[in-house]
């Protein structure tokens, strides 16, 4: 994980006697992305409207180990409405982007400067708890840990389109559409496919011998006449 890019205005605010710093969270669910922040009411920033969750949300701590490995970040949203829970169950979240910024605010909850990116990675788990206190827990894996992870990919049309969708590409590319039809297919490289009534081995060897026999015979004639 890289060091947050903190602006000069934010650095000045961080040195002040009083400070209001709140998280800004983006979860890029495929069907309905989540834009939320830790204040109250709506926040307009970066071309989006961020829903205020107040003290209903929690963000886990981040601490890198001696080897530079950064653990996952866990986000929690408590006291969630049932309709939001139902919508979250239908979301495609695996491998989608998750980002957390830290913003510094004035007393009237306006941003002092652009927020600093605090954590970025991919969503690896989503847990929904109904019960008496409904909640949503999201786990985001860091970019550093993603570089060390083995990612199996398949040469199939479905996996190809899934990778395109993950990259935000909506083109219906058909590159791998005919790959299944090539499985166990016999290809005659440099030779014509034998007819049904002709043996493969006999037909191939006959063409091979005949072609090279005539060729060597033609080359031998001019060589002998030159010696004479």
């Amino acid at each position: 994980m890289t060091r947050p890019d903190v602006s000069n205005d934010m650095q000045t605010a961080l040195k002040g006697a009083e400070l209001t710093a709140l998280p800004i969270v983006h979860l890029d669910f495929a069907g309905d992305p989540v834009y939320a922040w830790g204040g109250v009411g709506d926040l307009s920033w970066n071309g989006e409207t961020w829903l205020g969750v107040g003290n209903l949300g929690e963000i886990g701590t981040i601490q890198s180990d001696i080897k530079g490995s950064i653990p996952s970040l866990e986000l929690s949203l408590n006291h969630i409405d049932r309709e939001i829970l139902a919508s979250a169950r239908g979301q495609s979240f695996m491998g989608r982007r998750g980002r957390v910024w830290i913003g510094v605010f004035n007393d009237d909850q306006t941003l002092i400067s652009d927020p600093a990116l605090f954590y970025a990675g991919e969503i690896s788990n989503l847990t929904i708890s109904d019960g008496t206190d409904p909640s949503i827990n999201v786990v985001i894996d860091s970019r550093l840990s993603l570089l060390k992870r083995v990612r199996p990919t398949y040469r199939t049309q479905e996996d190809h389109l899934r990778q395109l969708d993950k990259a935000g590409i909506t083109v219906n590319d058909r590159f791998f559409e005919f790959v299944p039809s090539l499985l166990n297919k016999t290809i005659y490289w440099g030779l014509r496919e034998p007819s049904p009534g002709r043996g493969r081995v006999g037909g191939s060897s006959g063409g091979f011998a005949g072609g090279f026999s005539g060729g060597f015979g033609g080359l031998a004639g001019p060589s002998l006449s030159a010696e004479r």
Side-chain angles (χ1 to χ4, degrees):
M1 170 131 174
T2 59
R3 181 180 179 181
D5 186 12
V6 180
S7 66
N8 293 331
D9 292 339
M10 181 176 288
Q11 292 183 27
T12 302
L14 292 173
K15 297 176 183 178
E18 297 182 357
L19 175 67
T20 301
L22 297 172
I24 302 174
V25 179
H26 172 220
L27 302 177
D28 188 25
F29 293 149
D32 188 14
V34 173
Y35 299 92
W37 72 297
V40 179
D42 293 339
L43 172 67
S44 296
W45 173 68
N46 201 26
E48 301 291 346
T49 300
W50 306 75
L51 177 65
V53 295
N55 59 357
L56 302 182
E58 297 178 1
I59 297 181
T61 58
I62 302 177
Q63 182 178 0
S64 59
D65 59 20
I66 191 172
K67 297 181 180 179
S69 176
I70 298 177
S72 301
L73 176 67
E74 183 173 350
L75 307 176
S76 299
L77 196 60
N78 305 317
H79 311 292
I80 302 301
D81 187 85
R82 300 290 179 179
E83 294 183 0
I84 298 179
L85 289 178
S87 176
R89 285 192 175 91
Q91 299 296 331
S92 174
F93 67 89
M94 197 67 179
R96 307 292 296 188
R97 179 182 297 181
R99 291 178 292 178
V100 179
W101 294 266
I102 297 298
V104 179
F105 296 82
N106 291 315
D107 294 338
D108 57 354
Q109 292 193 346
T110 58
L111 282 168
I112 294 178
S113 68
D114 284 336
L117 183 62
F118 174 67
Y119 195 94
E122 292 185 0
I123 302 173
S124 62
N125 191 27
L126 173 67
T127 304
I128 299 176
S129 301
D130 290 309
T132 57
D133 185 13
S135 64
I136 298 177
N137 295 324
V138 179
V139 177
I140 304 176
D141 291 338
S142 68
R143 291 175 176 174
L144 183 60
S145 63
L146 294 175
L147 294 176
K148 300 179 180 179
R149 181 188 302 173
V150 178
R151 293 173 172 267
T153 56
Y154 305 95
R155 294 184 178 91
T156 62
Q157 184 67 12
E158 293 76 13
D159 191 65
H160 179 56
L161 294 178
R162 190 180 303 111
Q163 296 296 328
L164 292 178
D165 178 69
K166 181 179 175 181
I169 302 175
T170 58
V171 177
N172 185 20
D173 188 10
R174 302 169 59 186
F175 187 84
F176 290 99
E177 181 176 0
F178 299 101
V179 169
S181 64
L182 297 177
L183 297 177
N184 301 322
K185 183 177 181 61
T186 302
I187 300 176
Y188 300 91
W189 190 264
L191 297 174
R192 292 186 304 173
E193 183 176 355
S195 60
R198 186 177 182 182
R200 295 183 180 179
V201 178
S204 299
S205 61
F208 183 90
F212 277 89
S213 176
F216 285 128
L219 291 175
S223 176
L224 293 176
S225 60
E227 293 178 358
R228 293 176 185 174

